[in-house]
Amino acid sequence: MIITVQMVLNCLIEPVGHLEPTVDTLKSGRLNGEVRKVAVVFMATYAVIKQAVESGVDLILTHEPTYYNHKDEVDWLAGDPVYERKRRLIEESGISIFRLHDYVHTYKPDGILVGMLKKLEWESYAKPGEMNLLSFPPDEQHTVRTIVTHLKNKLGIDNMLVAGDLEMPVRRFGLMPGASGGRSHINYFERTDIDLLIVGETNEWETNEYVRDAADMGLSKALIVTGHQISEEAGMLTVVEMVREAFPDLQVDLIASPLAVKNI
Amino acid sequence: MIITVQMVLNCLIEPVGHLEPTVDTLKSGRLNGEVRKVAVVFMATYAVIKQAVESGVDLILTHEPTYYNHKDEVDWLAGDPVYERKRRLIEESGISIFRLHDYVHTYKPDGILVGMLKKLEWESYAKPGEMNLLSFPPDEQHTVRTIVTHLKNKLGIDNMLVAGDLEMPVRRFGLMPGASGGRSHINYFERTDIDLLIVGETNEWETNEYVRDAADMGLSKALIVTGHQISEEAGMLTVVEMVREAFPDLQVDLIASPLAVKNI
């Protein structure tokens, strides 16, 4: 049986039905193109696309955009040497690229969140029905610092940003991978009365300043910012598993990337 | 002569005339209130406001918002314990808070940029008429790494984020304090053909990924992200100087803050 791009996408769209509007569109390639090998990635970087093309991948499923903006608008990039070279690589290779962002976050529960909970071995701490709200059992003692250490070990990173007191005990906390925005973070603090929120990325003048103020008021609030990529990349393993299960004959692998920036 | 809030604001608005729309509004206090002591700050944090009130400051001029969002909208924060406590401190103290963001960036040249160039001792490198475009003279040899070291020394920070090759020679570079956005950063790279861009804050999926791709293509492009506060705070010294000059009898000081997040 020939497997097409459309068939793989149908499998990924099926759990929620068609979303409209959505940024999850085919960025290149053809819906009726044949697929034998799939690469699942956090970001379709130039290096990732090159590696995928060279290893015979037909379809890339990427969580984040290809062209440096959420909607993958390209008019403003016309003539830019980085954009033009990337576009040429993609077009000449004929590879299909589909963004899988809104769908995977709309799964119940959120596919990225589930993948990250697995990676962090925190599934048992998550509240059923609201899995980004976590609680430690009464016999476990944790502080912001012990959680930082756990995140470093499990995610393989050397540093992260922290607001609040590192020695503060943590009982209830939130896990919000990605960059859902200041209002989303702050409303979550208010609604759930958590001690600690772990996020991927913030705008500095929003969540960071809210938690700074809270801590300076003596409230038990802290924030960990891990970086966006590291907060979601392992979550895409959910997608790897889905496609492998639906299409056992396909070769499906996650291509992880180094971080775009180094902490110097 | 009594100096009022309105008189101080007039002096700050005068160089560009009234802007509309603008986020630069009086967040608290009264335009006809008397001013004897002014605090100039990057961010009107809870700790900064408390310190200002205790030291008899009548007017805070803050570059960034008071309530964790660009427009200082507060309806969505009603009942939030952090917001309510901050609002109460401000209201009970009677202190005036004015945001000075759009005006200072609209000065010709940009007041924040000028303040940062002074702090970095880079005024002589800046292109007249386009002062965020800088070039080293032919007899000076610099790399991304030597510039990182310079920034650390001058700004008093221990770390920053870097995309691209640390050993890459740098001749032309851009300085864009704050968080002007991915399109602004990327268009600047394209238009000016700089080797290096130094910014305050990015969205990770935008500027960071553009520079990662450029470097992976072998192009001579690099990015330094210093953090938003550190990229603009010293720029507010421009405002301190303006108010001191216009009102020699006023006490006017910059209150610097520690960073909201620590790198752990």
Side-chain angles (χ1 to χ4, degrees), chain A residues 46 68 73 80 86 159-160 162 183 201 204 210 212-213 217 228-229 258 262-264, chain B residues 46 68 73 80 85-86 159-160 162 183 201 204 210 212-213 228-229 258 262-264:
Chain A
Y46 182 78
Y68 324 120
E73 292 169 341
D80 179 281
K86 189 169 190 176
N159 64 287
M160 57 197 71
V162 180
R183 289 192 190 214
E201 182 175 2
E204 293 182 25
Y210 176 87
R212 179 219 288 261
D213 275 357
M217 289 169 187
H228 196 144
Q229 177 182 325
K262 288 191 194 71
N263 186 52
I264 303 291
Chain B
Y46 182 78
Y68 324 120
E73 291 169 342
D80 179 281
R85 192 151 162 181
K86 189 170 190 174
N159 63 290
M160 55 198 73
V162 179
R183 289 191 190 213
E201 180 174 5
E204 293 182 26
Y210 175 86
R212 178 219 290 262
D213 275 356
H228 195 144
Q229 178 182 326
K262 287 192 194 73
N263 186 53
I264 303 290

mmCIF file of all heavy atoms in Angstrom, chain A residues 46 68 73 80 86 159-160 162 183 201 204 210 212-213 217 228-229 258 262-264, chain B residues 46 68 73 80 85-86 159-160 162 183 201 204 210 212-213 228-229 258 262-264:
data_model
loop_
_atom_site.group_PDB
_atom_site.id
_atom_site.type_symbol
_atom_site.label_atom_id
_atom_site.label_comp_id
_atom_site.label_asym_id
_atom_site.label_seq_id
_atom_site.Cartn_x
_atom_site.Cartn_y
_atom_site.Cartn_z
ATOM 1 N N TYR A 46 17.414 24.952 8.868
ATOM 2 C CA TYR A 46 18.155 24.646 7.637
ATOM 3 C C TYR A 46 18.927 23.326 7.812
ATOM 4 O O TYR A 46 18.886 22.459 6.937
ATOM 5 C CB TYR A 46 19.102 25.798 7.330
ATOM 6 C CG TYR A 46 19.897 25.616 6.060
ATOM 7 C CD1 TYR A 46 19.324 25.837 4.812
ATOM 8 C CD2 TYR A 46 21.240 25.235 6.111
ATOM 9 C CE1 TYR A 46 20.056 25.684 3.644
ATOM 10 C CE2 TYR A 46 21.976 25.080 4.952
ATOM 11 C CZ TYR A 46 21.385 25.304 3.718
ATOM 12 O OH TYR A 46 22.110 25.145 2.575
ATOM 13 N N TYR A 68 10.543 31.770 10.420
ATOM 14 C CA TYR A 68 10.864 32.795 11.427
ATOM 15 C C TYR A 68 9.685 33.675 11.824
ATOM 16 O O TYR A 68 9.904 34.774 12.364
ATOM 17 C CB TYR A 68 12.034 33.688 10.943
ATOM 18 C CG TYR A 68 13.063 32.910 10.153
ATOM 19 C CD1 TYR A 68 13.369 33.225 8.828
ATOM 20 C CD2 TYR A 68 13.709 31.825 10.742
ATOM 21 C CE1 TYR A 68 14.296 32.482 8.106
ATOM 22 C CE2 TYR A 68 14.642 31.081 10.019
ATOM 23 C CZ TYR A 68 14.916 31.424 8.696
ATOM 24 O OH TYR A 68 15.825 30.681 7.977
ATOM 25 N N GLU A 73 4.451 33.694 7.140
ATOM 26 C CA GLU A 73 4.314 34.680 6.059
ATOM 27 C C GLU A 73 5.691 34.911 5.448
ATOM 28 O O GLU A 73 6.703 34.973 6.174
ATOM 29 C CB GLU A 73 3.732 35.986 6.610
ATOM 30 C CG GLU A 73 2.281 35.798 7.043
ATOM 31 C CD GLU A 73 1.718 36.961 7.850
ATOM 32 O OE1 GLU A 73 2.514 37.743 8.386
ATOM 33 O OE2 GLU A 73 0.479 37.068 7.950
ATOM 34 N N ASP A 80 15.649 38.166 0.926
ATOM 35 C CA ASP A 80 16.550 37.937 2.058
ATOM 36 C C ASP A 80 17.402 36.695 1.775
ATOM 37 O O ASP A 80 16.865 35.635 1.433
ATOM 38 C CB ASP A 80 15.727 37.745 3.338
ATOM 39 C CG ASP A 80 16.615 37.487 4.541
ATOM 40 O OD1 ASP A 80 17.087 36.333 4.705
ATOM 41 O OD2 ASP A 80 16.857 38.436 5.307
ATOM 42 N N LYS A 86 17.082 28.945 2.055
ATOM 43 C CA LYS A 86 16.292 27.898 2.712
ATOM 44 C C LYS A 86 15.157 27.435 1.799
ATOM 45 O O LYS A 86 14.915 26.242 1.631
ATOM 46 C CB LYS A 86 15.743 28.425 4.042
ATOM 47 C CG LYS A 86 15.092 27.357 4.912
ATOM 48 C CD LYS A 86 14.829 27.896 6.314
ATOM 49 C CE LYS A 86 14.405 26.791 7.267
ATOM 50 N NZ LYS A 86 14.231 27.276 8.650
ATOM 51 N N ASN A 159 21.549 25.166 32.211
ATOM 52 C CA ASN A 159 21.097 26.361 32.936
ATOM 53 C C ASN A 159 19.672 26.725 32.541
ATOM 54 O O ASN A 159 19.176 26.319 31.485
ATOM 55 C CB ASN A 159 22.020 27.548 32.657
ATOM 56 C CG ASN A 159 21.980 27.941 31.203
ATOM 57 O OD1 ASN A 159 22.526 27.235 30.352
ATOM 58 N ND2 ASN A 159 21.318 29.046 30.906
ATOM 59 N N MET A 160 19.034 27.482 33.409
ATOM 60 C CA MET A 160 17.692 28.013 33.116
ATOM 61 C C MET A 160 17.525 29.290 33.928
ATOM 62 O O MET A 160 18.388 29.634 34.743
ATOM 63 C CB MET A 160 16.625 26.976 33.449
ATOM 64 C CG MET A 160 16.630 26.474 34.849
ATOM 65 S SD MET A 160 15.666 24.930 34.996
ATOM 66 C CE MET A 160 16.738 23.768 34.144
ATOM 67 N N VAL A 162 15.423 31.635 36.657
ATOM 68 C CA VAL A 162 14.554 31.427 37.815
ATOM 69 C C VAL A 162 14.241 32.763 38.468
ATOM 70 O O VAL A 162 15.144 33.561 38.718
ATOM 71 C CB VAL A 162 15.230 30.489 38.850
ATOM 72 C CG1 VAL A 162 14.316 30.291 40.061
ATOM 73 C CG2 VAL A 162 15.582 29.142 38.223
ATOM 74 N N ARG A 183 -0.447 36.781 29.874
ATOM 75 C CA ARG A 183 -1.796 36.687 30.469
ATOM 76 C C ARG A 183 -2.129 35.255 30.828
ATOM 77 O O ARG A 183 -2.714 34.977 31.875
ATOM 78 C CB ARG A 183 -2.849 37.227 29.499
ATOM 79 C CG ARG A 183 -2.757 38.723 29.379
ATOM 80 C CD ARG A 183 -3.935 39.329 28.662
ATOM 81 N NE ARG A 183 -3.624 40.719 28.391
ATOM 82 C CZ ARG A 183 -4.507 41.709 28.379
ATOM 83 N NH1 ARG A 183 -5.779 41.462 28.584
ATOM 84 N NH2 ARG A 183 -4.132 42.935 28.149
ATOM 85 N N GLU A 201 9.103 29.832 27.539
ATOM 86 C CA GLU A 201 9.589 31.155 27.159
ATOM 87 C C GLU A 201 8.589 32.191 27.653
ATOM 88 O O GLU A 201 7.389 31.935 27.702
ATOM 89 C CB GLU A 201 9.693 31.222 25.626
ATOM 90 C CG GLU A 201 10.223 32.531 25.085
ATOM 91 C CD GLU A 201 10.429 32.522 23.565
ATOM 92 O OE1 GLU A 201 10.119 31.501 22.915
ATOM 93 O OE2 GLU A 201 10.905 33.541 23.038
ATOM 94 N N GLU A 204 9.793 39.189 28.907
ATOM 95 C CA GLU A 204 10.402 39.507 30.201
ATOM 96 C C GLU A 204 9.567 40.468 31.035
ATOM 97 O O GLU A 204 9.580 40.402 32.264
ATOM 98 C CB GLU A 204 11.802 40.108 29.998
ATOM 99 C CG GLU A 204 12.796 39.115 29.438
ATOM 100 C CD GLU A 204 14.193 39.686 29.280
ATOM 101 O OE1 GLU A 204 14.538 40.636 29.995
ATOM 102 O OE2 GLU A 204 14.941 39.179 28.435
ATOM 103 N N TYR A 210 5.816 39.854 37.058
ATOM 104 C CA TYR A 210 4.739 39.455 37.979
ATOM 105 C C TYR A 210 5.317 38.614 39.124
ATOM 106 O O TYR A 210 5.028 38.842 40.300
ATOM 107 C CB TYR A 210 3.675 38.674 37.213
ATOM 108 C CG TYR A 210 2.564 38.115 38.055
ATOM 109 C CD1 TYR A 210 1.435 38.875 38.351
ATOM 110 C CD2 TYR A 210 2.628 36.820 38.562
ATOM 111 C CE1 TYR A 210 0.402 38.360 39.130
ATOM 112 C CE2 TYR A 210 1.610 36.291 39.337
ATOM 113 C CZ TYR A 210 0.495 37.061 39.617
ATOM 114 O OH TYR A 210 -0.521 36.552 40.383
ATOM 115 N N ARG A 212 8.503 38.363 40.053
ATOM 116 C CA ARG A 212 9.437 39.185 40.843
ATOM 117 C C ARG A 212 8.661 39.958 41.900
ATOM 118 O O ARG A 212 9.026 39.971 43.078
ATOM 119 C CB ARG A 212 10.175 40.158 39.927
ATOM 120 C CG ARG A 212 11.144 41.075 40.688
ATOM 121 C CD ARG A 212 11.142 42.503 40.150
ATOM 122 N NE ARG A 212 11.766 42.691 38.869
ATOM 123 C CZ ARG A 212 13.016 43.145 38.687
ATOM 124 N NH1 ARG A 212 13.784 43.387 39.717
ATOM 125 N NH2 ARG A 212 13.466 43.347 37.455
ATOM 126 N N ASP A 213 7.573 40.634 41.476
ATOM 127 C CA ASP A 213 6.767 41.418 42.421
ATOM 128 C C ASP A 213 6.173 40.518 43.502
ATOM 129 O O ASP A 213 6.197 40.871 44.689
ATOM 130 C CB ASP A 213 5.627 42.137 41.673
ATOM 131 C CG ASP A 213 6.076 43.474 41.082
ATOM 132 O OD1 ASP A 213 7.238 43.875 41.295
ATOM 133 O OD2 ASP A 213 5.250 44.113 40.394
ATOM 134 N N MET A 217 6.815 40.731 47.520
ATOM 135 C CA MET A 217 5.712 40.928 48.473
ATOM 136 C C MET A 217 5.706 39.859 49.568
ATOM 137 O O MET A 217 4.869 39.903 50.465
ATOM 138 C CB MET A 217 4.365 40.862 47.729
ATOM 139 C CG MET A 217 4.087 42.054 46.842
ATOM 140 S SD MET A 217 2.634 41.732 45.784
ATOM 141 C CE MET A 217 2.690 43.181 44.714
ATOM 142 N N HIS A 228 12.359 27.705 25.167
ATOM 143 C CA HIS A 228 11.203 27.235 24.419
ATOM 144 C C HIS A 228 11.432 25.827 23.828
ATOM 145 O O HIS A 228 10.629 24.921 24.006
ATOM 146 C CB HIS A 228 10.908 28.252 23.307
ATOM 147 C CG HIS A 228 9.562 28.126 22.680
ATOM 148 N ND1 HIS A 228 8.835 29.219 22.266
ATOM 149 C CD2 HIS A 228 8.806 27.048 22.374
ATOM 150 C CE1 HIS A 228 7.695 28.809 21.747
ATOM 151 N NE2 HIS A 228 7.663 27.498 21.781
ATOM 152 N N GLN A 229 12.549 25.692 23.115
ATOM 153 C CA GLN A 229 12.809 24.416 22.433
ATOM 154 C C GLN A 229 12.848 23.252 23.416
ATOM 155 O O GLN A 229 12.193 22.226 23.219
ATOM 156 C CB GLN A 229 14.133 24.511 21.666
ATOM 157 C CG GLN A 229 14.510 23.187 20.982
ATOM 158 C CD GLN A 229 15.851 23.286 20.253
ATOM 159 O OE1 GLN A 229 16.190 24.331 19.709
ATOM 160 N NE2 GLN A 229 16.594 22.207 20.227
ATOM 161 N N PRO A 258 20.573 20.824 18.367
ATOM 162 C CA PRO A 258 21.211 21.624 19.426
ATOM 163 C C PRO A 258 20.406 22.902 19.621
ATOM 164 O O PRO A 258 19.561 23.233 18.780
ATOM 165 C CB PRO A 258 22.605 21.920 18.863
ATOM 166 C CG PRO A 258 22.499 21.720 17.390
ATOM 167 C CD PRO A 258 21.390 20.741 17.145
ATOM 168 N N LYS A 262 23.671 29.769 22.572
ATOM 169 C CA LYS A 262 24.450 29.240 23.704
ATOM 170 C C LYS A 262 24.474 30.292 24.807
ATOM 171 O O LYS A 262 24.497 31.492 24.544
ATOM 172 C CB LYS A 262 25.901 28.984 23.273
ATOM 173 C CG LYS A 262 26.092 27.803 22.358
ATOM 174 C CD LYS A 262 27.601 27.502 22.237
ATOM 175 C CE LYS A 262 27.859 26.565 21.077
ATOM 176 N NZ LYS A 262 27.661 27.232 19.754
ATOM 177 N N ASN A 263 24.494 29.813 26.036
ATOM 178 C CA ASN A 263 24.628 30.704 27.173
ATOM 179 C C ASN A 263 26.108 30.936 27.435
ATOM 180 O O ASN A 263 26.834 30.013 27.785
ATOM 181 C CB ASN A 263 23.949 30.051 28.385
ATOM 182 C CG ASN A 263 23.915 30.961 29.573
ATOM 183 O OD1 ASN A 263 23.471 32.086 29.482
ATOM 184 N ND2 ASN A 263 24.413 30.470 30.694
ATOM 185 N N ILE A 264 26.569 32.161 27.204
ATOM 186 C CA ILE A 264 28.016 32.456 27.261
ATOM 187 C C ILE A 264 28.317 33.351 28.448
ATOM 188 O O ILE A 264 27.674 34.374 28.615
ATOM 189 C CB ILE A 264 28.488 33.149 25.953
ATOM 190 C CG1 ILE A 264 28.163 32.289 24.746
ATOM 191 C CG2 ILE A 264 29.989 33.453 26.033
ATOM 192 C CD1 ILE A 264 28.952 31.015 24.643
ATOM 193 N N TYR B 46 7.331 46.441 42.270
ATOM 194 C CA TYR B 46 6.833 46.653 43.633
ATOM 195 C C TYR B 46 7.945 47.181 44.536
ATOM 196 O O TYR B 46 7.754 48.151 45.273
ATOM 197 C CB TYR B 46 6.279 45.329 44.172
ATOM 198 C CG TYR B 46 5.691 45.426 45.552
ATOM 199 C CD1 TYR B 46 4.424 45.968 45.745
ATOM 200 C CD2 TYR B 46 6.391 44.965 46.666
ATOM 201 C CE1 TYR B 46 3.878 46.059 47.025
ATOM 202 C CE2 TYR B 46 5.853 45.045 47.942
ATOM 203 C CZ TYR B 46 4.594 45.592 48.109
ATOM 204 O OH TYR B 46 4.046 45.670 49.364
ATOM 205 N N TYR B 68 2.395 44.471 34.042
ATOM 206 C CA TYR B 68 2.688 43.183 33.398
ATOM 207 C C TYR B 68 2.121 43.022 32.001
ATOM 208 O O TYR B 68 2.014 41.896 31.498
ATOM 209 C CB TYR B 68 2.237 42.006 34.299
ATOM 210 C CG TYR B 68 2.435 42.273 35.764
ATOM 211 C CD1 TYR B 68 1.368 42.275 36.651
ATOM 212 C CD2 TYR B 68 3.700 42.593 36.258
ATOM 213 C CE1 TYR B 68 1.549 42.566 38.004
ATOM 214 C CE2 TYR B 68 3.889 42.897 37.598
ATOM 215 C CZ TYR B 68 2.809 42.877 38.453
ATOM 216 O OH TYR B 68 2.987 43.175 39.776
ATOM 217 N N GLU B 73 -3.253 47.355 30.691
ATOM 218 C CA GLU B 73 -4.664 47.008 30.892
ATOM 219 C C GLU B 73 -4.794 46.263 32.219
ATOM 220 O O GLU B 73 -3.926 45.430 32.550
ATOM 221 C CB GLU B 73 -5.164 46.143 29.720
ATOM 222 C CG GLU B 73 -5.240 46.959 28.424
ATOM 223 C CD GLU B 73 -5.466 46.125 27.182
ATOM 224 O OE1 GLU B 73 -5.227 44.907 27.229
ATOM 225 O OE2 GLU B 73 -5.873 46.706 26.164
ATOM 226 N N ASP B 80 -6.582 39.661 41.357
ATOM 227 C CA ASP B 80 -5.283 38.980 41.461
ATOM 228 C C ASP B 80 -4.518 39.563 42.648
ATOM 229 O O ASP B 80 -4.378 40.789 42.763
ATOM 230 C CB ASP B 80 -4.489 39.185 40.165
ATOM 231 C CG ASP B 80 -3.122 38.530 40.230
ATOM 232 O OD1 ASP B 80 -2.191 39.106 40.840
ATOM 233 O OD2 ASP B 80 -2.997 37.428 39.689
ATOM 234 N N ARG B 85 -2.316 44.147 45.472
ATOM 235 C CA ARG B 85 -1.393 44.669 46.486
ATOM 236 C C ARG B 85 -0.537 45.797 45.916
ATOM 237 O O ARG B 85 -0.256 46.779 46.602
ATOM 238 C CB ARG B 85 -0.520 43.513 46.975
ATOM 239 C CG ARG B 85 0.256 43.843 48.197
ATOM 240 C CD ARG B 85 0.500 42.581 49.002
ATOM 241 N NE ARG B 85 1.570 42.765 49.941
ATOM 242 C CZ ARG B 85 1.999 41.835 50.758
ATOM 243 N NH1 ARG B 85 1.439 40.627 50.733
ATOM 244 N NH2 ARG B 85 2.969 42.066 51.597
ATOM 245 N N LYS B 86 -0.139 45.646 44.657
ATOM 246 C CA LYS B 86 0.672 46.692 44.018
ATOM 247 C C LYS B 86 -0.160 47.962 43.817
ATOM 248 O O LYS B 86 0.281 49.073 44.105
ATOM 249 C CB LYS B 86 1.197 46.176 42.675
ATOM 250 C CG LYS B 86 2.230 47.084 42.023
ATOM 251 C CD LYS B 86 2.890 46.389 40.830
ATOM 252 C CE LYS B 86 4.096 47.167 40.319
ATOM 253 N NZ LYS B 86 4.830 46.441 39.268
ATOM 254 N N ASN B 159 26.361 36.706 32.021
ATOM 255 C CA ASN B 159 26.102 35.801 30.899
ATOM 256 C C ASN B 159 25.124 36.427 29.937
ATOM 257 O O ASN B 159 24.356 37.335 30.290
ATOM 258 C CB ASN B 159 25.547 34.461 31.385
ATOM 259 C CG ASN B 159 24.228 34.626 32.067
ATOM 260 O OD1 ASN B 159 24.141 35.162 33.160
ATOM 261 N ND2 ASN B 159 23.179 34.193 31.401
ATOM 262 N N MET B 160 25.152 35.934 28.697
ATOM 263 C CA MET B 160 24.171 36.356 27.691
ATOM 264 C C MET B 160 24.015 35.206 26.711
ATOM 265 O O MET B 160 24.744 34.199 26.795
ATOM 266 C CB MET B 160 24.620 37.638 27.004
ATOM 267 C CG MET B 160 25.974 37.595 26.389
ATOM 268 S SD MET B 160 26.599 39.266 26.075
ATOM 269 C CE MET B 160 26.972 39.787 27.744
ATOM 270 N N VAL B 162 24.084 33.697 22.829
ATOM 271 C CA VAL B 162 24.774 33.973 21.570
ATOM 272 C C VAL B 162 24.429 32.905 20.545
ATOM 273 O O VAL B 162 24.486 31.704 20.835
ATOM 274 C CB VAL B 162 26.314 33.996 21.779
ATOM 275 C CG1 VAL B 162 27.029 34.268 20.461
ATOM 276 C CG2 VAL B 162 26.703 35.032 22.831
ATOM 277 N N ARG B 183 10.627 40.584 13.033
ATOM 278 C CA ARG B 183 10.653 41.218 11.708
ATOM 279 C C ARG B 183 11.605 42.397 11.703
ATOM 280 O O ARG B 183 12.350 42.603 10.748
ATOM 281 C CB ARG B 183 9.266 41.680 11.291
ATOM 282 C CG ARG B 183 8.380 40.504 10.965
ATOM 283 C CD ARG B 183 7.100 40.917 10.290
ATOM 284 N NE ARG B 183 6.239 39.745 10.235
ATOM 285 C CZ ARG B 183 5.383 39.482 9.267
ATOM 286 N NH1 ARG B 183 5.226 40.333 8.285
ATOM 287 N NH2 ARG B 183 4.654 38.383 9.293
ATOM 288 N N GLU B 201 15.972 41.440 23.786
ATOM 289 C CA GLU B 201 15.114 40.256 23.960
ATOM 290 C C GLU B 201 14.568 39.843 22.600
ATOM 291 O O GLU B 201 14.335 40.694 21.734
ATOM 292 C CB GLU B 201 13.961 40.631 24.910
ATOM 293 C CG GLU B 201 12.991 39.498 25.183
ATOM 294 C CD GLU B 201 11.930 39.839 26.229
ATOM 295 O OE1 GLU B 201 11.883 41.009 26.685
ATOM 296 O OE2 GLU B 201 11.148 38.950 26.580
ATOM 297 N N GLU B 204 12.103 33.364 20.613
ATOM 298 C CA GLU B 204 13.105 32.367 20.223
ATOM 299 C C GLU B 204 12.920 31.837 18.808
ATOM 300 O O GLU B 204 13.887 31.505 18.136
ATOM 301 C CB GLU B 204 13.106 31.197 21.214
ATOM 302 C CG GLU B 204 13.593 31.600 22.592
ATOM 303 C CD GLU B 204 13.644 30.424 23.564
ATOM 304 O OE1 GLU B 204 13.783 29.273 23.121
ATOM 305 O OE2 GLU B 204 13.530 30.661 24.775
ATOM 306 N N TYR B 210 16.560 32.502 12.734
ATOM 307 C CA TYR B 210 17.100 33.118 11.514
ATOM 308 C C TYR B 210 18.625 33.103 11.564
ATOM 309 O O TYR B 210 19.288 32.708 10.606
ATOM 310 C CB TYR B 210 16.580 34.549 11.397
ATOM 311 C CG TYR B 210 17.155 35.339 10.238
ATOM 312 C CD1 TYR B 210 16.580 35.274 8.975
ATOM 313 C CD2 TYR B 210 18.279 36.154 10.411
ATOM 314 C CE1 TYR B 210 17.096 36.005 7.912
ATOM 315 C CE2 TYR B 210 18.798 36.883 9.358
ATOM 316 C CZ TYR B 210 18.207 36.805 8.111
ATOM 317 O OH TYR B 210 18.729 37.518 7.061
ATOM 318 N N ARG B 212 20.577 31.240 13.515
ATOM 319 C CA ARG B 212 21.043 29.853 13.521
ATOM 320 C C ARG B 212 21.140 29.346 12.080
ATOM 321 O O ARG B 212 22.159 28.753 11.679
ATOM 322 C CB ARG B 212 20.070 28.973 14.312
ATOM 323 C CG ARG B 212 20.484 27.497 14.324
ATOM 324 C CD ARG B 212 19.298 26.534 14.195
ATOM 325 N NE ARG B 212 18.412 26.437 15.327
ATOM 326 C CZ ARG B 212 18.471 25.475 16.265
ATOM 327 N NH1 ARG B 212 19.401 24.549 16.193
ATOM 328 N NH2 ARG B 212 17.588 25.452 17.228
ATOM 329 N N ASP B 213 20.085 29.573 11.308
ATOM 330 C CA ASP B 213 20.093 29.113 9.911
ATOM 331 C C ASP B 213 21.210 29.791 9.118
ATOM 332 O O ASP B 213 21.930 29.133 8.359
ATOM 333 C CB ASP B 213 18.735 29.406 9.241
ATOM 334 C CG ASP B 213 17.703 28.308 9.514
ATOM 335 O OD1 ASP B 213 18.050 27.299 10.157
ATOM 336 O OD2 ASP B 213 16.548 28.474 9.068
ATOM 337 N N HIS B 228 16.459 42.002 28.271
ATOM 338 C CA HIS B 228 15.745 43.241 27.968
ATOM 339 C C HIS B 228 16.150 44.376 28.926
ATOM 340 O O HIS B 228 16.516 45.469 28.495
ATOM 341 C CB HIS B 228 14.241 42.956 28.050
ATOM 342 C CG HIS B 228 13.380 44.010 27.434
ATOM 343 N ND1 HIS B 228 12.224 43.708 26.767
ATOM 344 C CD2 HIS B 228 13.481 45.351 27.394
ATOM 345 C CE1 HIS B 228 11.663 44.824 26.333
ATOM 346 N NE2 HIS B 228 12.403 45.831 26.708
ATOM 347 N N GLN B 229 16.070 44.095 30.210
ATOM 348 C CA GLN B 229 16.346 45.156 31.196
ATOM 349 C C GLN B 229 17.746 45.726 31.027
ATOM 350 O O GLN B 229 17.932 46.954 30.964
ATOM 351 C CB GLN B 229 16.173 44.592 32.618
ATOM 352 C CG GLN B 229 16.478 45.616 33.699
ATOM 353 C CD GLN B 229 16.358 45.032 35.101
ATOM 354 O OE1 GLN B 229 15.519 44.171 35.351
ATOM 355 N NE2 GLN B 229 17.184 45.481 36.019
ATOM 356 N N PRO B 258 17.909 44.910 40.524
ATOM 357 C CA PRO B 258 18.501 43.623 40.167
ATOM 358 C C PRO B 258 17.663 43.005 39.035
ATOM 359 O O PRO B 258 16.546 43.469 38.773
ATOM 360 C CB PRO B 258 18.394 42.799 41.455
ATOM 361 C CG PRO B 258 17.353 43.477 42.271
ATOM 362 C CD PRO B 258 17.322 44.918 41.864
ATOM 363 N N LYS B 262 17.239 34.973 37.706
ATOM 364 C CA LYS B 262 18.659 34.587 37.824
ATOM 365 C C LYS B 262 18.927 33.434 36.868
ATOM 366 O O LYS B 262 18.074 32.568 36.666
ATOM 367 C CB LYS B 262 18.954 34.115 39.250
ATOM 368 C CG LYS B 262 19.002 35.205 40.281
ATOM 369 C CD LYS B 262 19.590 34.634 41.583
ATOM 370 C CE LYS B 262 19.325 35.590 42.725
ATOM 371 N NZ LYS B 262 17.898 35.588 43.140
ATOM 372 N N ASN B 263 20.135 33.395 36.346
ATOM 373 C CA ASN B 263 20.561 32.292 35.513
ATOM 374 C C ASN B 263 21.148 31.218 36.427
ATOM 375 O O ASN B 263 22.178 31.426 37.061
ATOM 376 C CB ASN B 263 21.620 32.799 34.525
ATOM 377 C CG ASN B 263 21.997 31.731 33.528
ATOM 378 O OD1 ASN B 263 21.153 31.154 32.879
ATOM 379 N ND2 ASN B 263 23.293 31.469 33.419
ATOM 380 N N ILE B 264 20.445 30.083 36.520
ATOM 381 C CA ILE B 264 20.835 29.039 37.493
ATOM 382 C C ILE B 264 21.342 27.791 36.766
ATOM 383 O O ILE B 264 20.691 27.325 35.849
ATOM 384 C CB ILE B 264 19.633 28.645 38.378
ATOM 385 C CG1 ILE B 264 19.071 29.876 39.102
ATOM 386 C CG2 ILE B 264 20.018 27.553 39.372
ATOM 387 C CD1 ILE B 264 19.946 30.445 40.182
#
